[in-house]
Amino acid sequence: KEYSILYIEDRLSNQQLVAGILANIKGMKLLTASSGSEGIRAAENQKTDLILLDLQLPDMNGVEVFERLKSNPQTTDIPVIALSANAMQEDIDRTLAKGFTEYITKPFDVPTFIKVIIKHLR
């Protein structure tokens, strides 16, 4: 099966890193968006099995993007994994309490990152 993953991230270097990691995994197709609004449109208009969402975006924060995705019937069932450089446990707990599927801190451990993605694509 082929899976489509949407990565909403404004930094091109981070998009390229994830693209390089996923390129080594058969059946993974990566879509990218550089802003929250672009990401929301992409999720609505393209088949998406999983969303990787940076919490610091230029036009809106990741939590706002998440809330818009979850309030839309077209995107509400897509698992959303938060990606952030913020590793403070209280922020992680607060983000997960909002309903995010997982929270991965940057820089991330590649094998763990891959395991988390695969776990939520079943």
Side-chain angles (χ1 to χ4, degrees), residues 7 59 90:
Y7 186 19
D59 60 339
E90 87 178 30

Side-chain angles (χ1 to χ4, degrees), residues 14 17 22 29-30 33-34 46 61 77 95 97-98 114-115:
N14 289 341
L17 172 67
L22 296 181
K29 176 183 168 191
L30 182 66
S34 298
Q46 300 182 43
N61 71 49
D77 293 329
T95 302
K98 292 187 180 299
I114 292 168
K115 283 179 191 170

Side-chain angles (χ1 to χ4, degrees), residues 6-19:
L6 172 61
Y7 186 19
I8 305 171
E9 165 67 68
D10 60 314
R11 290 183 182 234
L12 182 58
S13 60
N14 289 341
Q15 289 179 4
Q16 291 170 332
L17 172 67
V18 170

Side-chain angles (χ1 to χ4, degrees), residues 32 37 65 74-75 77 80 99:
T32 59
S37 55
V65 174
Q74 289 178 268
T75 57
D77 293 329
V80 180

